[in-house]
Amino acid sequence: MSKHALTPFLRRRSTLAALAGGVAVTSAAGLLLSSAFAAKPAPEVVLPKANAAFDYQIGGAYTPPAGVRAVSRDRGAKPVRGLYNICYVNAFQTQPDALEQWQKKNPDLLLRDGRGRPVNDEAWGEALLDTSTAAKRTRLAKIVGGWIDGCAKSGFQAVEPDNLDSYERSGGRLTRAHNAAFAKLLAARAHAAGLAIGQKNTTDLLGQRKAIGFDFAVAEECGRYDECADYATAYGNRVFVIEYTSRDFRKACSAVGKKLSVVQRDLEVRPAGRAGYVFRTC
């Protein structure tokens, strides 16, 4: 079990299939036409560079500080020209303000307790999505996949699907295997759209990263939990680290700051200019 499940401290959330088709050919004429109607090759997936200075802007977009080379923003925001842009998608839980729409349109895709009530991540007021069956994962992948396609169309180079570790908050109703299977669907969708995909938190699934299809990692508080080296080894230093306290930031910088991108942000990840805004790099 991840330490995050035992001590949920500062994990931060945002506040806020590609169409398949084919032509069946059974004759010589069809064979001649096949090249003309062949599926287009998948767009090139560009991986982030190791130790690229990073800013975490999921709480609101603003002009990145000087020297920043990579940025993560909510899927509703615009990417920054000339930077490596990561699209934040809340893939395994609902946004707090979206619960009503899920209840109306896809109530059975919300994980429910024995009384039929949505199971919530109490820390952030988010209902967990139900990844427990293949059928539900397929339907969820269609919805979240549409968001991922939107990230690609907006000009992002990568996507980070958040709450991969929702099974830790499910009261045993979800398992690592359920979420890994759903993440694999999302990885395929991201790659088909030309996006790299980042593993968001939980060292529990590092061993399955290749089978799932993850390309890099976004790790919150790995300095606090002494996990940064695990991510670094797994992803060849393609890891973006976010810490929320000065103590944990200094610890992460001391341990991995020479090889990983480490940033300190305020817990609310406020835009620059707001009271309480914090941005520091090693």
Side-chain angles (χ1 to χ4, degrees):
M1 178 180 292
S2 166
K3 300 184 185 71
H4 300 283
L6 299 175
T7 315
F9 180 53
L10 294 177
R11 292 181 304 103
R12 174 61 203 170
R13 306 284 173 265
S14 173
T15 53
L16 291 158
L19 180 63
V23 178
V25 291
T26 59
S27 65
L31 291 173
L32 291 174
L33 289 171
S34 62
S35 61
F37 289 94
K40 294 181 180 179
E44 179 184 3
V45 173
V46 178
L47 302 186
K49 293 182 179 180
N51 204 17
F54 173 66
D55 192 7
Y56 198 50
Q57 298 189 2
I58 67 170
Y62 55 90
T63 300
V68 165
R69 295 290 176 264
V71 63
S72 181
R73 287 181 166 181
D74 187 83
R75 65 185 178 88
K78 294 181 179 180
V80 185
R81 181 174 297 181
L83 301 189
Y84 190 87
N85 294 273
I86 304 168
C87 188
Y88 174 93
V89 173
N90 198 352
F92 292 79
Q93 298 182 178
T94 68
Q95 291 293 94
D97 59 357
L99 179 58
E100 184 177 351
Q101 289 301 310
W102 283 95
Q103 291 272 36
K104 288 181 178 179
K105 296 181 178 180
N106 294 285
D108 62 316
L109 294 182
L110 297 172
L111 186 69
R112 297 183 182 273
D113 63 18
R115 297 183 179 180
R117 300 171 300 188
V119 176
N120 290 313
D121 176 348
E122 298 296 342
W124 299 105
E126 299 175 354
L128 276 62
L129 299 177
D130 190 350
T131 62
S132 64
T133 71
K136 289 184 177 181
R137 290 192 292 269
T138 297
R139 289 172 57 201
L140 285 169
K142 184 176 181 180
I143 295 169
V144 179
W147 302 343
I148 290 173
D149 289 349
C151 293
K153 291 178 181 177
S154 294
F156 288 88
Q157 288 77 46
V159 61
E160 56 154 319
D162 199 11
N163 289 307
L164 176 64
D165 58 353
S166 67
Y167 56 88
E168 296 179 349
R169 298 178 288 282
S170 71
R173 297 172 180 85
L174 300 177
T175 67
R176 279 184 288 180
H178 293 148
N179 280 15
F182 182 46
K184 187 172 183 178
L185 296 178
L186 300 183
R189 187 68 172 258
H191 290 157
L195 299 179
I197 183 168
Q199 176 178 337
K200 183 68 172 288
N201 298 334
T202 188
T203 55
D204 292 346
L205 287 171
L206 284 178
Q208 298 183 49
R209 67 192 183 281
K210 291 183 179 179
I212 292 171
F214 287 131
D215 302 301
F216 65 98
V218 178
E220 292 176 289
E221 301 186 278
C222 66
R224 171 180 167 83
Y225 295 105
D226 296 317
E227 298 170 337
C228 297
D230 296 327
Y231 287 104
T233 298
Y235 286 105
N237 295 340
R238 289 188 174 91
V239 182
F240 298 104
V241 177
I242 306 103
E243 299 294 341
Y244 296 106
T245 71
S246 295
R247 177 181 177 181
D248 296 333
F249 171 71
R250 291 192 297 268
K251 183 179 178 182
C253 286
S254 176
V256 298
K258 291 183 179 180
K259 60 183 180 181
L260 301 186
S261 175
V262 181
V263 62
Q264 181 184 356
R265 289 300 330 269
D266 54 282
L267 180 58
E268 298 298 325
V269 284
R270 300 173 179 90
R274 297 273 185 89
Y277 166 79
V278 174
F279 172 85
R280 296 170 65 193
T281 58
C282 298

